[in-house]
Amino acid sequence: MDQPHPNIAAGDHKGYMEYALERARLSPPASTKFCVGAVLVDATKNEILSTGYSLELPRNSLGDPGSTHAEQCCFIKVAQKHGLPEERIGEVLPENTVLYTTMEPCNKRLSGNRTCVERILRLNGAIKIVYVGIKEPEIFVGENDGRKRLEDAGVVVKMLEGMQYRILKVSTTGHEAETK
């Protein structure tokens, strides 16, 4: 499971995004995916509930086809901790749960796996705010309208400014090897 988490001051959104970026650095680089990190936080208690990064958990985790995304890994860990299927973790998430993710949650997957936007929305309002580091580059699936879909469903999506270059660099680790 997760290692001990750093102490991050309440409301330090950049601190939480820095931690998500740390998680993203753990993702194995590849030209066919992004290295993304995510942190799920109980904003009331200022407590990290779980973290995740792309490909942290094995393919086909909990019966979903394909590789695991950062947000999905956060949710799977909460599900395993509480002995619930992933789609029911909204029942145990604290009222003020916030998601930090280095990249906009996906709204289309080439693997056939459930998208991260669908995973957030099926929690029926358990996650009310998503802090995002960068918009998903249009490399694999074209324009990602995940932010719009979340906002249309009442989820607040806030872009954190000032870290885009570093996040993009980590996110695309492994892409440069294919172009040389």
Side-chain angles (χ1 to χ4, degrees), residues 42-140:
D42 175 347
T44 301
K45 291 183 178 177
N46 194 42
E47 177 184 330
I48 295 173
L49 303 170
S50 69
T51 66
Y53 58 86
S54 307
L55 300 183
E56 178 181 10
L57 298 176
R59 294 181 68 82
N60 303 320
S61 288
L62 299 183
D64 272 332
S67 58
T68 53
H69 283 196
E71 301 92 332
Q72 177 184 5
C73 291
C74 284
F75 298 163
I76 288 171
K77 290 176 188 178
V78 171
Q80 290 172 336
K81 177 180 177 184
H82 293 280
L84 291 171
E86 181 194 339
E87 64 271 13
R88 288 188 46 210
I89 66 168
E91 298 169 19
V92 296
L93 287 176
E95 186 177 331
N96 199 9
T97 299
V98 174
L99 177 65
Y100 293 85
T101 181
T102 57
M103 186 178 290
E104 173 184 19
C106 69
N107 194 41
K108 182 177 182 182
R109 295 201 51 185
L110 299 177
S111 68
N113 205 335
R114 181 173 284 109
T115 69
C116 294
V117 167
E118 289 169 359
R119 291 172 191 286
I120 293 166
L121 294 180
R122 75 178 177 171
L123 299 178
N124 297 318
I127 296 174
K128 293 171 184 61
I129 302 176
V130 177
Y131 289 92
V132 175
I134 62 170
K135 186 166 174 45
E136 180 179 356
E138 296 183 18
I139 295 172
F140 302 119

